[in-house]
Amino acid sequence: MRLFILGSAAGGGFPQWNCLCHVCRLHWSGDPRVTARSQSSIAATADGVHWLLLNASPDLRAQIMASPPLMPSCGADDAARRASPIAAVLVTNGDVDHVAGLLTLREKQAFDLYGTEGVLGVIADNPVYSVMDPACVTTRPVQMEQPFEPVPGLTVEIFPVPGKVPLYLERGEIDVGAEGDMTVGVRLSAGGRTAFYVPGCAFVPEHLAARVAGADVLLFDGTVFVDDEMQRAGVGAKTGRRMGHMPMTGEGGSIDAFDGRDVGDRVYIHINNTNPVLIEGSDERRAVEAAGWRVAHDGMEIVP
Ligand code: MLT
Ligand code: MN
Ligand code: ZN
Protein backbone atom coordinates (compact mmCIF):
# COMPACT_ATOMS: atom_id res chain seq x y z
CA MET A 1 0.00 0.00 0.00
CA ARG A 2 1.12 3.53 -0.75
CA LEU A 3 -0.45 6.64 0.69
CA PHE A 4 0.12 10.03 -0.84
CA ILE A 5 -0.77 13.20 1.06
CA LEU A 6 -2.23 15.52 -1.57
CA GLY A 7 -3.45 18.21 0.80
CA SER A 8 -2.48 18.39 4.46
CA ALA A 9 -4.33 21.59 5.47
CA ALA A 10 -7.88 22.03 6.72
CA GLY A 11 -10.62 23.92 4.86
CA GLY A 12 -9.22 27.19 3.50
CA GLY A 13 -5.71 25.76 3.14
CA PHE A 14 -2.51 27.30 4.45
CA PRO A 15 -2.20 30.20 4.12
CA GLN A 16 -5.89 30.99 3.87
CA TRP A 17 -6.52 33.55 1.14
CA ASN A 18 -7.72 36.32 3.45
CA CYS A 19 -5.96 35.50 6.71
CA LEU A 20 -3.48 37.53 8.72
CA CYS A 21 -3.34 35.31 11.78
CA HIS A 22 0.11 34.85 13.30
CA VAL A 23 0.88 31.76 11.22
CA CYS A 24 -0.48 33.05 7.90
CA ARG A 25 1.43 36.29 8.43
CA LEU A 26 4.66 34.30 8.47
CA HIS A 27 3.83 32.88 5.06
CA TRP A 28 2.81 36.22 3.54
CA SER A 29 6.07 37.74 4.79
CA GLY A 30 8.18 34.95 3.27
CA ASP A 31 9.30 33.27 6.47
CA PRO A 32 11.04 29.99 5.52
CA ARG A 33 9.79 28.19 8.64
CA VAL A 34 6.35 27.73 7.08
CA THR A 35 5.36 25.88 3.90
CA ALA A 36 2.09 26.35 2.02
CA ARG A 37 -0.32 23.46 2.24
CA SER A 38 -3.39 22.70 0.15
CA GLN A 39 -6.77 21.46 1.33
CA SER A 40 -7.53 18.09 2.80
CA SER A 41 -7.14 14.99 0.61
CA ILE A 42 -5.04 11.85 0.33
CA ALA A 43 -4.69 9.14 -2.32
CA ALA A 44 -4.11 5.43 -1.77
CA THR A 45 -3.10 2.52 -3.97
CA ALA A 46 -2.27 -1.14 -3.54
CA ASP A 47 -1.07 -1.91 -7.06
CA GLY A 48 0.61 1.42 -7.85
CA VAL A 49 -1.64 1.84 -10.90
CA HIS A 50 -5.20 2.35 -9.67
CA TRP A 51 -5.65 5.07 -7.08
CA LEU A 52 -8.41 5.79 -4.60
CA LEU A 53 -8.86 9.47 -3.83
CA LEU A 54 -9.96 10.02 -0.24
CA ASN A 55 -11.83 13.31 -0.34
CA ALA A 56 -11.82 15.65 -3.32
CA SER A 57 -10.38 19.00 -2.35
CA PRO A 58 -11.06 22.35 -4.03
CA ASP A 59 -7.30 22.26 -4.78
CA LEU A 60 -7.51 18.93 -6.61
CA ARG A 61 -6.37 20.16 -10.00
CA ALA A 62 -3.19 21.71 -8.55
CA GLN A 63 -2.66 18.60 -6.42
CA ILE A 64 -2.72 16.39 -9.53
CA MET A 65 -0.32 18.78 -11.29
CA ALA A 66 2.10 18.27 -8.39
CA SER A 67 1.71 14.47 -8.19
CA PRO A 68 3.13 12.38 -11.07
CA PRO A 69 1.37 9.14 -9.95
CA LEU A 70 -2.01 10.84 -10.45
CA MET A 71 -1.33 12.26 -13.91
CA PRO A 72 -2.68 10.60 -17.05
CA SER A 73 0.08 8.29 -18.26
CA CYS A 74 1.03 8.86 -21.93
CA GLY A 75 2.56 5.40 -22.17
CA ALA A 76 -0.58 3.60 -21.09
CA ASP A 77 -2.52 3.22 -24.30
CA ASP A 78 -1.93 5.06 -27.59
CA ALA A 79 -5.66 5.24 -28.32
CA ALA A 80 -6.66 6.56 -24.92
CA ARG A 81 -7.82 10.15 -24.78
CA ARG A 82 -9.32 10.15 -21.29
CA ALA A 83 -7.37 8.11 -18.73
CA SER A 84 -6.74 9.04 -15.13
CA PRO A 85 -5.09 6.80 -12.52
CA ILE A 86 -7.86 8.01 -10.18
CA ALA A 87 -10.28 5.10 -10.42
CA ALA A 88 -12.42 5.81 -7.38
CA VAL A 89 -13.22 8.54 -4.88
CA LEU A 90 -14.41 8.13 -1.30
CA VAL A 91 -15.76 11.13 0.61
CA THR A 92 -15.69 11.09 4.42
CA ASN A 93 -18.14 13.95 4.92
CA GLY A 94 -19.89 16.66 2.91
CA ASP A 95 -17.63 19.57 3.91
CA VAL A 96 -16.59 21.96 1.16
CA ASP A 97 -12.91 21.02 1.51
CA HIS A 98 -13.83 17.36 0.89
CA VAL A 99 -16.36 17.54 -1.94
CA ALA A 100 -15.73 20.71 -3.99
CA GLY A 101 -13.01 18.90 -5.96
CA LEU A 102 -15.61 16.56 -7.43
CA LEU A 103 -16.35 19.42 -9.83
CA THR A 104 -12.79 19.09 -11.14
CA LEU A 105 -13.50 15.45 -12.04
CA ARG A 106 -16.33 16.29 -14.43
CA GLU A 107 -14.64 15.77 -17.79
CA LYS A 108 -16.23 12.49 -18.95
CA GLN A 109 -13.97 10.43 -16.75
CA ALA A 110 -15.30 7.11 -15.48
CA PHE A 111 -14.87 6.53 -11.76
CA ASP A 112 -16.78 5.19 -8.79
CA LEU A 113 -17.90 7.62 -6.10
CA TYR A 114 -18.20 6.07 -2.64
CA GLY A 115 -19.66 7.51 0.55
CA THR A 116 -22.46 7.02 3.02
CA GLU A 117 -26.07 7.33 1.88
CA GLY A 118 -26.24 10.58 3.86
CA VAL A 119 -23.20 12.26 2.32
CA LEU A 120 -23.97 11.04 -1.20
CA GLY A 121 -27.50 12.37 -0.65
CA VAL A 122 -26.15 15.84 0.15
CA ILE A 123 -24.14 15.72 -3.08
CA ALA A 124 -27.10 14.44 -5.12
CA ASP A 125 -29.32 17.20 -3.71
CA ASN A 126 -26.99 19.88 -5.06
CA PRO A 127 -27.64 20.37 -8.79
CA VAL A 128 -24.12 21.63 -9.51
CA TYR A 129 -22.82 18.07 -8.98
CA SER A 130 -24.93 16.81 -11.86
CA VAL A 131 -21.97 17.90 -14.01
CA MET A 132 -20.57 14.49 -13.06
CA ASP A 133 -22.22 12.60 -15.89
CA PRO A 134 -24.03 9.53 -14.48
CA ALA A 135 -23.02 7.70 -17.65
CA CYS A 136 -19.41 7.97 -16.41
CA VAL A 137 -19.61 8.30 -12.64
CA THR A 138 -21.14 5.46 -10.67
CA THR A 139 -22.37 6.44 -7.22
CA ARG A 140 -21.87 3.63 -4.73
CA PRO A 141 -23.32 4.04 -1.23
CA VAL A 142 -21.40 2.00 1.32
CA GLN A 143 -22.48 0.66 4.69
CA MET A 144 -20.53 1.06 7.90
CA GLU A 145 -18.06 -1.73 8.63
CA GLN A 146 -18.76 -3.52 5.34
CA PRO A 147 -15.43 -4.00 3.56
CA PHE A 148 -15.25 -3.12 -0.14
CA GLU A 149 -12.47 -3.01 -2.74
CA PRO A 150 -12.66 0.28 -4.68
CA VAL A 151 -9.33 -0.34 -6.43
CA PRO A 152 -7.55 -3.67 -6.93
CA GLY A 153 -6.01 -5.09 -3.78
CA LEU A 154 -7.08 -2.27 -1.46
CA THR A 155 -9.67 -3.23 1.14
CA VAL A 156 -11.57 -0.31 2.58
CA GLU A 157 -14.01 -0.03 5.45
CA ILE A 158 -15.77 3.05 6.81
CA PHE A 159 -16.94 3.56 10.37
CA PRO A 160 -18.77 6.39 12.17
CA VAL A 161 -16.76 8.94 14.13
CA PRO A 162 -18.09 11.79 16.28
CA GLY A 163 -18.83 14.71 13.98
CA LYS A 164 -21.59 16.88 12.61
CA VAL A 165 -23.36 17.93 9.44
CA PRO A 166 -21.46 20.19 7.01
CA LEU A 167 -21.30 23.86 8.00
CA TYR A 168 -23.62 24.87 5.13
CA LEU A 169 -26.33 22.52 6.45
CA GLU A 170 -26.19 23.73 10.04
CA ARG A 171 -29.67 24.90 11.18
CA GLY A 172 -30.78 25.54 14.76
CA GLU A 173 -29.32 23.31 17.45
CA ILE A 174 -26.36 21.32 16.18
CA ASP A 175 -25.50 17.93 17.60
CA VAL A 176 -21.71 18.18 17.47
CA GLY A 177 -20.24 14.79 18.25
CA ALA A 178 -23.08 12.75 16.83
CA GLU A 179 -22.02 9.38 15.46
CA GLY A 180 -24.14 9.11 12.38
CA ASP A 181 -23.49 8.81 8.68
CA MET A 182 -22.35 12.41 8.10
CA THR A 183 -18.76 11.92 9.30
CA VAL A 184 -16.77 8.73 8.89
CA GLY A 185 -13.28 7.40 9.40
CA VAL A 186 -11.64 4.98 6.98
CA ARG A 187 -9.67 1.78 7.46
CA LEU A 188 -7.39 0.87 4.55
CA SER A 189 -5.65 -2.47 4.29
CA ALA A 190 -3.50 -4.26 1.74
CA GLY A 191 -0.80 -6.90 1.91
CA GLY A 192 -1.25 -7.33 5.66
CA ARG A 193 -0.69 -3.63 6.41
CA THR A 194 -3.33 -1.32 7.86
CA ALA A 195 -3.80 2.45 7.87
CA PHE A 196 -6.55 4.64 9.29
CA TYR A 197 -7.63 7.98 7.86
CA VAL A 198 -9.71 10.21 10.15
CA PRO A 199 -9.56 13.85 8.98
CA GLY A 200 -12.42 15.05 11.19
CA CYS A 201 -13.24 13.86 14.71
CA ALA A 202 -14.94 15.73 17.57
CA PHE A 203 -13.60 13.41 20.28
CA VAL A 204 -12.18 9.90 20.66
CA PRO A 205 -14.59 7.44 22.27
CA GLU A 206 -13.06 4.26 23.67
CA HIS A 207 -14.35 2.20 20.75
CA LEU A 208 -12.40 4.39 18.30
CA ALA A 209 -9.18 4.15 20.29
CA ALA A 210 -9.67 0.37 20.43
CA ARG A 211 -10.41 0.18 16.70
CA VAL A 212 -7.09 1.71 15.67
CA ALA A 213 -5.05 -0.52 17.98
CA GLY A 214 -2.51 -2.48 15.94
CA ALA A 215 -2.59 -0.07 12.98
CA ASP A 216 0.61 0.61 11.09
CA VAL A 217 -0.41 4.19 10.33
CA LEU A 218 -2.92 6.62 11.78
CA LEU A 219 -3.65 9.81 9.84
CA PHE A 220 -5.66 11.90 12.26
CA ASP A 221 -7.48 15.23 12.62
CA GLY A 222 -4.84 17.86 13.45
CA THR A 223 -7.04 20.91 12.91
CA VAL A 224 -6.13 22.88 16.04
CA PHE A 225 -3.40 22.71 18.67
CA VAL A 226 -5.63 24.10 21.43
CA ASP A 227 -9.42 24.16 21.43
CA ASP A 228 -9.80 27.98 21.58
CA GLU A 229 -7.05 28.63 19.03
CA MET A 230 -9.25 30.56 16.56
CA GLN A 231 -10.39 32.88 19.34
CA ARG A 232 -6.85 33.39 20.60
CA ALA A 233 -5.71 34.09 17.05
CA GLY A 234 -8.42 36.72 16.71
CA VAL A 235 -9.92 35.16 13.60
CA GLY A 236 -13.12 33.54 14.82
CA ALA A 237 -15.42 32.79 17.72
CA LYS A 238 -15.72 29.03 17.31
CA THR A 239 -13.77 26.44 19.23
CA GLY A 240 -12.24 23.48 17.45
CA ARG A 241 -14.74 21.18 19.11
CA ARG A 242 -17.67 23.29 17.91
CA MET A 243 -16.36 22.78 14.38
CA GLY A 244 -16.28 19.03 14.98
CA HIS A 245 -12.51 18.95 15.47
CA MET A 246 -10.90 17.95 18.76
CA PRO A 247 -7.66 19.73 19.69
CA MET A 248 -4.26 18.04 19.72
CA THR A 249 -3.55 19.06 23.30
CA GLY A 250 -5.34 19.56 26.58
CA GLU A 251 -7.71 17.24 28.35
CA GLY A 252 -9.34 14.89 25.89
CA GLY A 253 -7.00 16.04 23.11
CA SER A 254 -5.76 13.61 20.48
CA ILE A 255 -2.26 13.25 21.93
CA ASP A 256 -3.77 11.96 25.19
CA ALA A 257 -6.48 9.95 23.47
CA PHE A 258 -3.99 7.74 21.62
CA ASP A 259 -1.22 7.81 24.20
CA GLY A 260 -0.08 4.30 25.04
CA ARG A 261 -2.10 2.75 22.20
CA ASP A 262 -0.45 0.35 19.80
CA VAL A 263 -0.24 2.59 16.71
CA GLY A 264 2.86 2.67 14.50
CA ASP A 265 3.13 5.95 12.62
CA ARG A 266 0.98 8.83 13.96
CA VAL A 267 0.53 11.64 11.49
CA TYR A 268 -1.52 14.81 11.84
CA ILE A 269 -3.46 15.91 8.77
CA HIS A 270 -6.25 18.48 8.09
CA ILE A 271 -4.22 21.19 9.87
CA ASN A 272 -5.83 24.60 10.24
CA ASN A 273 -3.92 27.71 9.15
CA THR A 274 -3.96 29.00 12.76
CA ASN A 275 -2.18 25.92 14.12
CA PRO A 276 1.37 26.77 15.30
CA VAL A 277 2.60 23.23 14.55
CA LEU A 278 2.82 24.51 10.96
CA ILE A 279 5.89 26.50 12.06
CA GLU A 280 9.07 24.41 11.85
CA GLY A 281 10.92 24.51 15.14
CA SER A 282 8.06 26.10 17.11
CA ASP A 283 7.48 24.95 20.68
CA GLU A 284 4.18 23.46 19.57
CA ARG A 285 5.79 21.51 16.70
CA ARG A 286 8.39 20.20 19.08
CA ALA A 287 5.70 19.23 21.59
CA VAL A 288 3.72 17.10 19.15
CA GLU A 289 6.90 15.49 17.82
CA ALA A 290 8.02 14.70 21.37
CA ALA A 291 4.64 13.03 21.85
CA GLY A 292 5.34 10.77 18.87
CA TRP A 293 3.40 12.54 16.12
CA ARG A 294 4.49 13.78 12.69
CA VAL A 295 2.94 16.79 10.95
CA ALA A 296 1.92 16.00 7.37
CA HIS A 297 2.94 18.16 4.43
CA ASP A 298 1.72 18.12 0.84
CA GLY A 299 3.56 15.55 -1.25
CA MET A 300 4.39 13.35 1.75
CA GLU A 301 4.38 9.69 0.85
CA ILE A 302 3.74 6.96 3.39
CA VAL A 303 4.30 3.26 2.81
CA PRO A 304 2.67 1.59 5.82
C1 MLT B 1 -14.25 21.69 8.62
O1 MLT B 1 -13.43 20.79 8.51
O2 MLT B 1 -14.68 22.05 9.73
C2 MLT B 1 -14.77 22.33 7.40
O3 MLT B 1 -13.91 22.08 6.34
C3 MLT B 1 -15.04 23.77 7.60
C4 MLT B 1 -15.43 24.43 6.30
O4 MLT B 1 -16.27 23.89 5.58
O5 MLT B 1 -14.85 25.48 6.00
MN1 MN C 1 -12.47 20.34 6.77
ZN1 ZN D 1 -4.42 32.20 9.21
Side-chain angles (χ1 to χ4, degrees):
M1 176 175 16
R2 280 169 70 196
L3 304 175
F4 204 73
I5 310 296
L6 296 173
S8 49
F14 173 73
Q16 181 173 299
W17 71 283
N18 62 345
C19 193
L20 283 172
C21 76
H22 170 62
V23 192
C24 288
R25 255 174 210 276
L26 294 178
H27 178 85
W28 301 127
S29 63
D31 193 304
R33 291 173 299 162
V34 293
T35 306
R37 285 166 164 83
S38 65
Q39 295 169 80
S40 183
S41 174
I42 71 167
T45 187
D47 65 3
V49 178
H50 303 87
W51 288 81
L52 170 68
L53 195 61
L54 292 120
N55 291 320
S57 144
D59 300 320
L60 179 56
R61 182 174 175 280
Q63 292 169 342
I64 292 170
M65 303 287 280
S67 310
L70 298 186
M71 296 176 184
S73 165
C74 304
D77 173 358
D78 273 354
R81 293 295 178 267
R82 291 281 197 271
S84 168
I86 298 170
V89 183
L90 167 62
V91 289
T92 62
N93 62 23
D95 284 355
V96 171
D97 55 345
H98 288 168
V99 301
L102 292 171
L103 300 175
T104 296
L105 300 175
R106 68 190 176 281
E107 313 290 358
K108 297 282 179 205
Q109 175 66 47
F111 66 92
D112 291 322
L113 174 59
Y114 294 88
T116 65
E117 294 266 5
V119 173
L120 293 179
V122 170
I123 292 168
D125 285 347
N126 186 329
V128 74
Y129 288 106
S130 61
V131 295
M132 287 185 292
D133 184 348
C136 300
V137 179
T138 307
T139 300
R140 299 189 184 277
V142 280
Q143 304 296 316
M144 302 291 182
E145 296 169 345
Q146 298 292 311
F148 58 102
E149 194 177 312
V151 290
L154 185 69
T155 303
V156 177
E157 205 179 298
I158 61 168
F159 51 89
V161 296
K164 65 170 184 66
V165 295
L167 181 59
Y168 56 85
L169 292 179
E170 289 190 9
R171 310 269 187 279
E173 279 290 293
I174 304 307
D175 186 3
V176 182
E179 287 183 43
D181 75 346
M182 295 310 276
T183 308
V184 301
V186 184
R187 180 181 192 273
L188 303 158
S189 59
R193 310 294 285 178
T194 304
F196 283 84
Y197 171 61
V198 185
C201 188
F203 61 93
V204 177
E206 174 55 29
H207 65 82
L208 175 56
R211 187 188 291 274
V212 302
D216 298 295
V217 175
L218 171 63
L219 298 167
F220 196 78
D221 184 345
T223 307
V224 290
F225 185 75
V226 289
D227 196 34
D228 61 352
E229 179 174 302
M230 305 262 291
Q231 296 164 6
R232 290 192 198 193
V235 296
K238 280 185 190 165
T239 61
R241 286 194 169 92
R242 173 59 187 80
M243 297 189 295
H245 297 290
M246 63 195 292
M248 295 172 168
T249 58
E251 203 182 326
S254 51
I255 289 177
D256 277 1
F258 295 104
D259 191 38
R261 301 281 172 171
D262 173 24
V263 175
D265 191 9
R266 296 159 197 232
V267 183
Y268 279 124
I269 46 145
H270 192 280
I271 302 157
N272 200 55
N273 62 80
T274 51
N275 192 326
V277 304
L278 291 171
I279 309 167
E280 302 273 352
S282 64
D283 290 347
E284 294 85 355
R285 168 70 75 90
R286 279 204 289 264
V288 299
E289 288 175 348
W293 287 80
R294 297 199 287 159
V295 174
H297 56 83
D298 292 13
M300 184 183 216
E301 193 166 347
I302 297 173
V303 180

